[in-house]
Amino acid sequence: MLNVAVVGYGYWGPNLVRNFVEAPESEVVMVADISEANLKRVSSRYPAIQTTTSVDDIYNNNGIDAVVIATPVNTHYELALNALQSGKHVMVEKPMASSSEQAKHLIQEAQSRNLVLMVDHTFVYTGAVRKIANLVREGELGDVLYYDSTRINLGLFQHDVNVIWDLAVHDLSIIEYVLNKEPRAVSATGMSHVEGEPENVAYLTIYYDDNLIAHVNVNWLAPVKVRRTLIGGSKKMIVYDALEPIETIKIYDKGIEVETAEDIYRTLIGYRTGDMYSPKVEATEALQLEARHFIDCIKNGKTPETDGAAGLRVVKILEAASESIKNRGSVAELS
Amino acid sequence: MLNVAVVGYGYWGPNLVRNFVEAPESEVVMVADISEANLKRVSSRYPAIQTTTSVDDIYNNNGIDAVVIATPVNTHYELALNALQSGKHVMVEKPMASSSEQAKHLIQEAQSRNLVLMVDHTFVYTGAVRKIANLVREGELGDVLYYDSTRINLGLFQHDVNVIWDLAVHDLSIIEYVLNKEPRAVSATGMSHVEGEPENVAYLTIYYDDNLIAHVNVNWLAPVKVRRTLIGGSKKMIVYDALEPIETIKIYDKGIEVETAEDIYRTLIGYRTGDMYSPKVEATEALQLEARHFIDCIKNGKTPETDGAAGLRVVKILEAASESIKNRGSVAELS
Amino acid sequence: MLNVAVVGYGYWGPNLVRNFVEAPESEVVMVADISEANLKRVSSRYPAIQTTTSVDDIYNNNGIDAVVIATPVNTHYELALNALQSGKHVMVEKPMASSSEQAKHLIQEAQSRNLVLMVDHTFVYTGAVRKIANLVREGELGDVLYYDSTRINLGLFQHDVNVIWDLAVHDLSIIEYVLNKEPRAVSATGMSHVEGEPENVAYLTIYYDDNLIAHVNVNWLAPVKVRRTLIGGSKKMIVYDALEPIETIKIYDKGIEVETAEDIYRTLIGYRTGDMYSPKVEATEALQLEARHFIDCIKNGKTPETDGAAGLRVVKILEAASESIKNRGSVAELS
Amino acid sequence: MLNVAVVGYGYWGPNLVRNFVEAPESEVVMVADISEANLKRVSSRYPAIQTTTSVDDIYNNNGIDAVVIATPVNTHYELALNALQSGKHVMVEKPMASSSEQAKHLIQEAQSRNLVLMVDHTFVYTGAVRKIANLVREGELGDVLYYDSTRINLGLFQHDVNVIWDLAVHDLSIIEYVLNKEPRAVSATGMSHVEGEPENVAYLTIYYDDNLIAHVNVNWLAPVKVRRTLIGGSKKMIVYDALEPIETIKIYDKGIEVETAEDIYRTLIGYRTGDMYSPKVEATEALQLEARHFIDCIKNGKTPETDGAAGLRVVKILEAASESIKNRGSVAELS
């Protein structure tokens, strides 16, 4: 049995606690939060779990094996670092840290201490994204040509991070897992409509080799909720609508056929349009799958599918996006 | 009765011919096209209309009052110039010309000869766009904050212009009419997936004063057809779906309320969400309204709602987009 | 503070317990169920609530003011009767009883003892149905001409009641509340596709005075889930889609205009089609509103909106439907 | 080359004329209509076609091989009979006649003269319906359990036939072709909301052997347009939405699994839910396919897929529906 502590019991923390409580090989022994009100909610729901307003109670507790961090982004680095330094495995909310430098440092710290460092890229553990990743890896789509996502709604305005760090981070974690390619450069544009606040509307383009391009449209100020991703391949194309409970993924047998005629100069481009197919998607809660994977990695010395390296790649794109957005779209190269 | 000639009877020309035939105050007397097959289709459908493969037959015909040009973009300038120089009023397909210099020249030519020069920004004459423009002008939306359009499908690849010149031009004509503001800068990104061909996926951001931003997502290689525009205002927001035959426009009484609390540093942003309302939209065919407007402008010396100046503003953005796309999003200022 | 006991902790019971726990003026003191496993779920969630496998523990407990019954239909009558006879107010699941005779007896029993008898017609307490009822009562729709509902999905097959008693009962409770008219006759058709089991596909027509007709389509064996109701009025029409979280109700300004021309024999029927409007709907959980209403009725001697009489009217239609379905649609008159 | 005459150039006639003009092996030589205005439209569009207000000009013309009848229902019988008696092949609009007696007489007349008699059940010639029929015949769906169609909109009120004869007739023609089974009995309910006019809302249930049931919901007074059919099979189920231009047919791998446990009395019914698949549907215009089939039948002595017998089966159900609707749903047996 693995003893887990959770830091942060605000919006996402309750889901993490519940899933580690339900996972057969872990027990949640302590929850820390700065809010007494939040801790009361823990106690009334789970009388057996200890609560504290001091994270040191977690670091100093030798009975705790792993720490799960669900606090604001700007606290991730220090909390995760302290947890690793006190010898605990760490699972940290996305984005992993506020800068790539911080992310790199966490990776080194985990590596040198032989501890598991996992980033909570929850979407990677959904049945839909795993299905899409399989289709891409098995070559079902042919060459992937573009990834195009719209993630908009009348959402909670954040004060410390802009809409890219808040919403596009989900797409970046999916892109990272599904495309599995090195991003080369980023161009981002956006606008704030409340003085002194971060951008609430933003657009992000990521360039890859081989003419692959990804684009993410995020908006906290939209009248309708949309969670729709198109993935265009040379053979087939996918529409992934996370708000569709049943037909979440649709695979279209559509594309173009390029013919280079010999005797004319002009390329001929023909259309191909066939059947559509919507596979059944595994319905297990993503967080349960993820919690078990974290436990498995710790017990059996495995590397998480969403390890520190994956978290770092996402943070690098976020950093570059912030840089580009300041220059109204000027490209930021990724090293 | 106004005598009209149409140049170009390919994809759009037949619609123009039909509408000028149906308009009560005009008659189509001649159609020119380089394809004999196209001209045969004219004759079988309209035996009374003369056909020719030589546009000079139109220029030299003193009985012709106006010329409507529906040919590839790169021919617009020369054809329109010749028509104006032979003393004829001109209606030209969008985009008006291949460069802003050409567009300016056409405007001067029309002005100096006191001829009507109109650009066929068809969407401006749809019931939906006119309704939206009225709502914006009457302040129903409050301050317009953003315009966000997706215009994608498995579309005809063009060889001479990219997807921005082909599809985003529709949005630019709508933006021009609805927002009625001076664009300041453009950032565009995109990609071609067929060697030697223009971009088939592209994204365009336009910056305006007062934190207004417009974004257009265009794609010739999408598995589904989408024609959806969001317009966010400080009071209300619009979703305009051109593929919805009935509820084309939806007006959402949604928004945010910004409160600056006195005793704390943090801005409080609250949500407001109310009713939705879908006004009935005028169903008259846009091109019929447009044809009559062209005739009215000629007869009564009026300035078209979509005159050369409107056409020029659109071409300027297209030019800037082409420049920016080459630099992977680097901003192109508009003078 | 009102002391409530809940009988039955299967599918619906947990929602009832939770809502009476959350209601400010009631306390849940006991839960009875025949399944020990279900009772364990009660105890782990609510350690303070007593559990029992014997309903007599509830009847004999003088500290209990009201009993809420959420058991299979064929047990409603006996359980409710015993509860009333032991002096307790009763809220019972829909349908209220297995026959109109039983329902009448329960009403008499409650009346003679001056106890509140309420039927859990949950939909009546949703924001959507209350909004619709208001629109109808205020004459917004004009004369109501028809009610047409489709309520289908791949649903749990019941063994003791057919799909009309299971699914159409929801519509009947809505119709009862919204139309507020005396049904005159019923015709029902249906089919069973599993030998020895009740009908899993069924269609129900209810006749009212003044040419009002209601129709309900229910199906346990449908590939898609639909919860859509059309209400046609002489002035306006409503589409109510219970699966639409946001635009649940749409009001269409559409209809016909009948003109009786003087000099011709034929009636002229014209169309009228105008705006659509989707009002914001109150989002409070229906069951919370309902629980509070039950408490209010007990405390202040009020008659519930969904009292025994409403429950009886629904059971009468269900009875008539069962009779008609056996005769393949032959009309069953309602007395 | 087959010489065809068309009687009736109102709503549907122009489509028939166009398709027989376009068909490679037929020529339209004459059109008859009682309205001079309609005939003028013929002449302006097709100068070579003769027009007449007297159908006798067609019957007496020996150069005419076949007559296509697109007039009101109550004229079908006499027009078709006269055409057959003057030795011409006949294609007649649906429903074939006003009574089954009339329909039988037409069949006899055609048979005795060895002429082709075809009924224009247009939907049978659409790619979607042909695909569905193939799936059913190949056993892809298993046993067909139910057919459930909704065909509603704010439609043209007819004065001579009710909404079942006007709209449900489409479903009956599809059912006839797809299910290919003998209907046993009919129950229909409905209501008129305009005094003296036929039913504008109606519901039709058709009983078949082997627990197969079909239901059709038709309405001229609905605020939204719906054309949706569900076909439930023991193995798979279909949703056919005729308003969906792309994903017209969806095939769901869903169903139930009935297990009769040995040691318990209760049947266990489990759910099965798998992938969904939307086949590409042939896009050829149905009427073109149908026109060529008519010509082929005449030239090669074949029996039409929608022959007089098919037309008669549809008329029989319509007759029975009219009888049942008068008795508010009482079953009408089909001999």
Side-chain angles (χ1 to χ4, degrees):
Chain A
M1 191 59 66
L2 197 84
N3 287 331
V4 174
V6 174
V7 183
Y9 198 78
Y11 169 69
W12 194 239
N15 294 323
L16 290 162
V17 170
R18 177 171 50 78
N19 274 284
F20 278 100
V21 163
E22 285 173 9
E25 301 197 78
S26 69
E27 209 165 311
V28 177
V29 295
M30 199 179 284
V31 171
D33 198 291
I34 50 170
S35 151
E36 293 278 7
N38 283 350
L39 294 178
K40 261 189 199 156
R41 288 164 53 217
V42 176
S43 300
S44 81
R45 185 76 210 262
Y46 308 100
I49 297 180
Q50 292 180 61
T51 62
T52 179
T53 55
S54 163
V55 283
D56 289 334
D57 291 347
I58 291 173
Y59 303 145
N60 298 333
N61 186 328
N62 287 330
I64 292 172
D65 304 302
V67 178
V68 177
I69 298 167
T71 57
V73 180
N74 57 17
T75 66
H76 287 180
Y77 172 66
E78 197 184 327
L79 288 169
L81 188 66
N82 289 345
L84 291 168
Q85 286 173 344
S86 56
K88 297 176 191 333
H89 304 285
V90 166
M91 176 166 153
V92 61
E93 262 321 282
K94 84 188 117 357
M96 180 190 186
S98 298
S99 72
S100 55
E101 207 179 339
Q102 289 180 351
K104 282 176 194 165
H105 192 189
L106 292 179
I107 293 170
Q108 286 164 2
E109 201 68 35
Q111 230 156 10
S112 68
R113 293 172 187 275
N114 213 19
L115 292 165
V116 171
L117 173 60
M118 179 160 155
V119 185
D120 178 12
H121 288 173
T122 322
F123 271 101
V124 166
Y125 300 93
T126 58
V129 170
R130 297 184 85 77
K131 182 80 192 175
I132 293 170
N134 277 342
L135 291 166
V136 169
R137 283 169 201 174
E138 288 164 3
E140 191 86 2
L141 269 64
D143 299 325
V144 178
L145 306 177
Y146 66 82
Y147 176 104
D148 182 319
S149 178
T150 303
R151 190 176 292 275
I152 64 175
N153 58 292
L154 196 59
L156 273 173
F157 274 65
Q158 308 286 329
H159 300 286
D160 48 348
V161 293
N162 70 14
V163 70
I164 288 183
W165 283 71
D166 179 46
L167 289 183
V169 66
H170 293 294
D171 289 292
L172 298 182
S173 71
I174 296 169
I175 288 171
E176 212 279 319
Y177 181 70
V178 167
L179 300 187
N180 198 23
K181 293 217 177 172
E182 201 65 41
R184 295 304 180 191
V186 167
S187 166
T189 58
M191 195 59 80
S192 164
H193 294 109
V194 182
E195 209 183 316
E197 297 291 319
E199 288 83 5
N200 51 273
V201 181
Y203 305 98
L204 176 63
T205 302
I206 312 169
Y207 294 93
Y208 294 84
D209 292 337
D210 303 323
N211 292 343
L212 173 59
I213 189 170
H215 187 266
V216 183
N217 173 341
V218 280
N219 192 336
W220 282 332
L221 199 54
V224 287
K225 185 172 184 177
V226 180
R227 297 281 182 271
R228 193 153 81 150
T229 303
L230 278 68
I231 304 178
S234 57
K235 287 191 194 158
K236 290 189 180 167
M237 304 187 191
I238 288 176
V239 175
Y240 159 40
D241 187 336
L243 300 184
E244 258 315 326
I246 310 294
E247 296 161 25
T248 316
I249 302 174
K250 291 181 175 179
I251 305 161
Y252 292 85
D253 184 18
K254 286 189 179 181
I256 53 163
E257 272 157 2
V258 180
E259 295 169 40
T260 311
E262 283 186 29
D263 52 347
I264 61 158
Y265 293 99
R266 178 169 283 196
T267 305
L268 289 177
I269 300 172
Y271 304 89
R272 196 173 43 72
T273 166
D275 299 348
M276 183 271 280
Y277 165 76
S278 178
K280 191 190 174 187
V281 161
E282 183 56 52
T284 313
E285 187 179 359
L287 218 40
Q288 184 56 219
L289 189 64
E290 191 176 357
R292 293 178 187 208
H293 179 53
F294 182 48
I295 297 162
D296 181 39
C297 289
I298 292 171
K299 293 217 158 176
N300 302 305
K302 293 181 183 169
T303 301
E305 295 202 84
T306 55
D307 62 355
L312 170 60
R313 286 192 291 270
V314 166
V315 170
K316 273 182 175 175
I317 298 177
L318 291 173
E319 260 183 347
S322 291
E323 192 194 321
S324 176
I325 213 168
K326 276 184 207 141
N327 300 308
R328 295 196 296 177
S330 286
V331 76
E333 302 287 346
L334 288 162
S335 50
Chain B
M1 192 59 66
L2 197 83
N3 288 331
V4 174
V6 175
V7 183
Y9 199 78
Y11 168 70
W12 195 239
N15 295 323
L16 290 163
V17 171
R18 176 170 51 79
N19 274 283
F20 278 99
V21 163
E22 286 172 9
E25 300 198 77
S26 67
E27 209 164 312
V28 178
V29 294
M30 199 179 286
V31 171
D33 197 291
I34 50 170
S35 150
E36 294 278 8
N38 284 350
L39 293 178
K40 260 187 200 158
R41 288 164 52 218
V42 176
S43 300
S44 82
R45 184 76 210 261
Y46 307 100
I49 298 180
Q50 292 180 60
T51 61
T52 178
T53 54
S54 162
V55 282
D56 288 333
D57 290 348
I58 291 173
Y59 303 144
N60 299 334
N61 186 328
N62 287 330
I64 291 172
D65 305 300
V67 178
V68 178
I69 298 166
T71 56
V73 180
N74 57 16
T75 65
H76 287 180
Y77 172 66
E78 197 185 326
L79 289 169
L81 189 67
N82 289 346
L84 291 167
Q85 287 173 345
S86 56
K88 295 173 192 334
H89 304 284
V90 166
M91 177 167 151
V92 61
E93 264 320 281
K94 84 188 119 356
M96 181 188 184
S98 299
S99 72
S100 55
E101 207 178 337
Q102 290 179 351
K104 281 176 194 164
H105 192 190
L106 292 178
I107 293 170
Q108 286 163 2
E109 200 70 35
Q111 229 157 11
S112 68
R113 293 172 188 274
N114 214 17
L115 291 166
V116 171
L117 172 60
M118 179 160 153
V119 186
D120 177 13
H121 288 175
T122 323
F123 272 99
V124 166
Y125 300 92
T126 59
V129 170
R130 297 184 87 77
K131 181 81 192 175
I132 292 171
N134 278 342
L135 291 165
V136 168
R137 283 167 201 177
E138 288 164 4
E140 190 87 3
L141 270 63
D143 298 325
V144 179
L145 307 176
Y146 66 84
Y147 177 103
D148 182 317
S149 178
T150 303
R151 190 176 293 273
I152 65 176
N153 57 291
L154 195 60
L156 272 173
F157 276 64
Q158 307 286 329
H159 300 285
D160 48 348
V161 294
N162 70 14
V163 70
I164 288 183
W165 284 71
D166 179 47
L167 290 183
V169 67
H170 293 294
D171 289 291
L172 298 181
S173 72
I174 296 169
I175 287 171
E176 213 279 319
Y177 182 70
V178 167
L179 301 185
N180 198 22
K181 293 216 178 174
E182 200 65 41
R184 296 304 180 190
V186 167
S187 167
T189 58
M191 194 60 80
S192 164
H193 294 108
V194 181
E195 212 182 313
E197 296 291 318
E199 288 81 7
N200 51 274
V201 180
Y203 305 97
L204 175 64
T205 303
I206 312 168
Y207 293 94
Y208 294 83
D209 292 338
D210 304 322
N211 293 342
L212 173 59
I213 189 170
H215 186 266
V216 183
N217 173 341
V218 280
N219 192 336
W220 282 332
L221 200 53
V224 287
K225 184 171 184 177
V226 180
R227 294 283 182 271
R228 194 153 80 150
T229 302
L230 279 68
I231 304 177
S234 58
K235 288 191 192 158
K236 289 189 181 168
M237 303 187 191
I238 287 176
V239 175
Y240 159 41
D241 188 335
L243 301 184
E244 260 313 328
I246 310 295
E247 296 161 25
T248 315
I249 301 174
K250 292 181 173 178
I251 305 161
Y252 291 85
D253 184 17
K254 286 189 180 180
I256 55 164
E257 272 156 1
V258 180
E259 295 169 38
T260 311
E262 284 187 27
D263 52 349
I264 60 157
Y265 293 99
R266 178 169 285 194
T267 305
L268 290 176
I269 300 171
Y271 304 89
R272 197 173 43 70
T273 165
D275 299 348
M276 183 271 279
Y277 165 76
S278 179
K280 191 189 173 186
V281 161
E282 183 56 53
T284 312
E285 187 179 0
L287 216 41
Q288 183 57 218
L289 189 64
E290 191 177 356
R292 293 179 187 208
H293 179 53
F294 181 51
I295 297 163
D296 180 38
C297 288
I298 293 170
K299 293 217 158 177
N300 302 305
K302 293 182 183 168
T303 303
E305 295 201 85
T306 54
D307 62 355
L312 170 61
R313 287 191 290 270
V314 166
V315 170
K316 274 183 175 176
I317 298 177
L318 292 172
E319 261 184 345
S322 292
E323 190 193 322
S324 176
I325 213 167
K326 277 183 208 141
N327 301 307
R328 296 196 297 178
S330 286
V331 74
E333 303 288 345
L334 290 162
S335 51
Chain C
M1 191 60 67
L2 197 84
N3 288 331
V4 174
V6 175
V7 183
Y9 198 78
Y11 169 69
W12 193 240
N15 295 323
L16 290 163
V17 170
R18 177 170 53 77
N19 274 283
F20 279 100
V21 164
E22 285 172 10
E25 300 198 78
S26 68
E27 210 165 311
V28 177
V29 294
M30 199 179 285
V31 171
D33 197 292
I34 49 170
S35 151
E36 292 278 7
N38 283 351
L39 293 178
K40 259 188 201 158
R41 288 164 53 217
V42 176
S43 300
S44 82
R45 184 78 210 262
Y46 308 100
I49 297 180
Q50 293 180 60
T51 62
T52 178
T53 55
S54 163
V55 283
D56 289 332
D57 292 346
I58 291 173
Y59 303 145
N60 299 333
N61 187 327
N62 288 329
I64 291 172
D65 305 301
V67 179
V68 178
I69 298 166
T71 57
V73 180
N74 57 16
T75 66
H76 286 180
Y77 172 66
E78 197 185 328
L79 289 169
L81 188 66
N82 290 345
L84 291 167
Q85 286 173 343
S86 56
K88 295 173 193 333
H89 304 284
V90 166
M91 175 167 155
V92 61
E93 263 321 282
K94 83 189 118 355
M96 181 189 184
S98 299
S99 72
S100 55
E101 205 178 340
Q102 290 179 349
K104 282 176 195 163
H105 192 191
L106 292 180
I107 293 169
Q108 287 164 1
E109 199 69 35
Q111 230 157 9
S112 69
R113 292 172 188 275
N114 214 17
L115 292 166
V116 171
L117 173 61
M118 177 160 156
V119 185
D120 177 14
H121 289 175
T122 322
F123 270 100
V124 166
Y125 299 93
T126 58
V129 171
R130 298 184 85 77
K131 183 80 193 174
I132 293 170
N134 278 340
L135 291 166
V136 169
R137 283 166 201 177
E138 288 163 5
E140 189 87 2
L141 269 63
D143 299 325
V144 178
L145 307 176
Y146 66 83
Y147 177 103
D148 181 319
S149 179
T150 303
R151 190 175 294 272
I152 64 174
N153 57 292
L154 196 59
L156 273 172
F157 275 65
Q158 307 285 329
H159 300 286
D160 48 349
V161 294
N162 71 14
V163 71
I164 288 183
W165 283 71
D166 180 47
L167 290 183
V169 67
H170 293 295
D171 289 291
L172 298 182
S173 71
I174 296 169
I175 287 171
E176 211 280 318
Y177 181 71
V178 167
L179 301 186
N180 199 22
K181 295 219 177 171
E182 202 65 41
R184 296 302 180 194
V186 167
S187 166
T189 57
M191 195 58 80
S192 165
H193 294 108
V194 182
E195 209 182 314
E197 297 290 320
E199 289 82 6
N200 51 273
V201 181
Y203 305 98
L204 176 63
T205 301
I206 312 168
Y207 293 93
Y208 294 83
D209 291 338
D210 303 323
N211 292 343
L212 173 58
I213 189 171
H215 187 266
V216 183
N217 172 341
V218 281
N219 192 336
W220 281 332
L221 199 54
V224 288
K225 185 172 184 176
V226 179
R227 295 282 181 272
R228 193 152 81 151
T229 303
L230 278 68
I231 304 177
S234 58
K235 286 190 194 161
K236 289 190 181 168
M237 303 187 191
I238 288 176
V239 175
Y240 159 41
D241 187 336
L243 300 184
E244 258 314 326
I246 310 294
E247 295 160 26
T248 315
I249 302 173
K250 291 181 174 179
I251 305 161
Y252 292 84
D253 184 18
K254 287 188 178 179
I256 54 164
E257 272 157 1
V258 180
E259 294 169 42
T260 311
E262 284 186 26
D263 52 347
I264 62 161
Y265 293 100
R266 178 169 285 195
T267 305
L268 289 177
I269 300 172
Y271 305 89
R272 195 174 42 72
T273 165
D275 298 347
M276 183 271 279
Y277 165 76
S278 178
K280 191 189 172 185
V281 161
E282 183 58 51
T284 311
E285 187 179 357
L287 217 40
Q288 184 55 221
L289 189 65
E290 191 177 358
R292 292 180 189 207
H293 179 52
F294 182 50
I295 297 163
D296 181 38
C297 287
I298 293 170
K299 292 215 158 179
N300 302 304
K302 293 180 182 168
T303 302
E305 296 201 84
T306 54
D307 62 355
L312 170 61
R313 287 191 290 270
V314 166
V315 170
K316 274 183 176 175
I317 298 177
L318 291 173
E319 262 184 346
S322 291
E323 190 193 322
S324 176
I325 213 168
K326 276 184 209 141
N327 301 309
R328 297 195 297 177
S330 286
V331 75
E333 302 287 344
L334 288 162
S335 50
Chain D
M1 190 61 65
L2 198 84
N3 288 331
V4 174
V6 175
V7 182
Y9 199 78
Y11 168 70
W12 194 240
N15 295 322
L16 290 163
V17 170
R18 177 170 51 77
N19 274 284
F20 279 99
V21 164
E22 286 172 12
E25 301 196 78
S26 68
E27 211 165 312
V28 178
V29 294
M30 200 179 285
V31 171
D33 197 291
I34 50 170
S35 152
E36 293 277 8
N38 284 349
L39 294 178
K40 260 189 201 158
R41 289 164 53 219
V42 176
S43 300
S44 81
R45 184 76 209 264
Y46 308 99
I49 297 181
Q50 292 180 62
T51 61
T52 177
T53 55
S54 163
V55 282
D56 289 333
D57 291 346
I58 291 173
Y59 304 145
N60 300 334
N61 186 328
N62 288 329
I64 293 173
D65 305 300
V67 179
V68 178
I69 298 166
T71 56
V73 181
N74 56 17
T75 65
H76 286 181
Y77 171 66
E78 196 185 328
L79 289 169
L81 189 66
N82 290 345
L84 291 167
Q85 286 173 343
S86 56
K88 298 178 192 328
H89 304 283
V90 166
M91 175 167 153
V92 62
E93 263 322 281
K94 82 188 120 353
M96 181 187 184
S98 298
S99 72
S100 54
E101 206 178 340
Q102 290 179 349
K104 281 176 195 164
H105 192 191
L106 292 179
I107 292 171
Q108 287 163 1
E109 199 70 34
Q111 232 157 8
S112 68
R113 293 171 188 276
N114 213 17
L115 291 166
V116 171
L117 172 61
M118 178 159 154
V119 186
D120 177 12
H121 288 175
T122 322
F123 271 100
V124 166
Y125 300 91
T126 59
V129 170
R130 298 184 85 77
K131 182 80 193 174
I132 292 170
N134 277 342
L135 291 165
V136 168
R137 283 166 200 178
E138 288 163 5
E140 190 86 2
L141 268 64
D143 299 325
V144 178
L145 307 176
Y146 65 83
Y147 177 102
D148 182 318
S149 178
T150 303
R151 190 176 294 273
I152 64 176
N153 57 292
L154 195 59
L156 272 173
F157 275 64
Q158 307 286 329
H159 300 284
D160 48 348
V161 293
N162 71 13
V163 71
I164 287 183
W165 284 71
D166 179 45
L167 290 183
V169 67
H170 293 295
D171 289 292
L172 299 181
S173 71
I174 296 170
I175 287 171
E176 212 278 320
Y177 181 70
V178 167
L179 301 186
N180 198 22
K181 294 215 176 174
E182 201 65 41
R184 296 302 180 192
V186 166
S187 166
T189 57
M191 194 60 81
S192 163
H193 294 109
V194 181
E195 210 182 314
E197 296 291 319
E199 290 81 6
N200 51 273
V201 180
Y203 306 97
L204 176 62
T205 302
I206 312 168
Y207 294 94
Y208 294 83
D209 292 337
D210 304 323
N211 292 341
L212 173 59
I213 189 170
H215 187 265
V216 183
N217 173 340
V218 281
N219 192 336
W220 281 333
L221 200 54
V224 286
K225 184 172 185 176
V226 180
R227 294 282 182 272
R228 193 154 79 151
T229 303
L230 279 68
I231 305 177
S234 58
K235 287 191 194 160
K236 290 190 180 166
M237 303 187 190
I238 288 176
V239 175
Y240 159 41
D241 187 336
L243 301 184
E244 260 314 327
I246 310 294
E247 295 160 26
T248 315
I249 301 174
K250 292 180 174 179
I251 305 161
Y252 291 84
D253 183 17
K254 287 188 178 179
I256 53 164
E257 273 156 1
V258 180
E259 296 170 39
T260 311
E262 285 187 26
D263 52 348
I264 61 160
Y265 294 99
R266 177 169 286 194
T267 306
L268 290 177
I269 300 171
Y271 303 89
R272 195 172 45 71
T273 164
D275 299 346
M276 182 272 278
Y277 165 76
S278 178
K280 192 189 172 185
V281 161
E282 184 56 53
T284 311
E285 188 179 358
L287 217 40
Q288 183 55 221
L289 189 63
E290 191 176 356
R292 293 179 187 207
H293 179 54
F294 181 50
I295 297 163
D296 181 38
C297 288
I298 293 170
K299 293 215 159 180
N300 302 303
K302 292 182 183 168
T303 302
E305 295 202 83
T306 53
D307 62 356
L312 169 61
R313 286 192 290 270
V314 166
V315 170
K316 274 183 175 175
I317 299 177
L318 292 172
E319 261 184 346
S322 291
E323 189 193 321
S324 176
I325 213 167
K326 276 184 209 142
N327 301 308
R328 294 195 299 176
S330 286
V331 75
E333 302 288 344
L334 288 163
S335 50

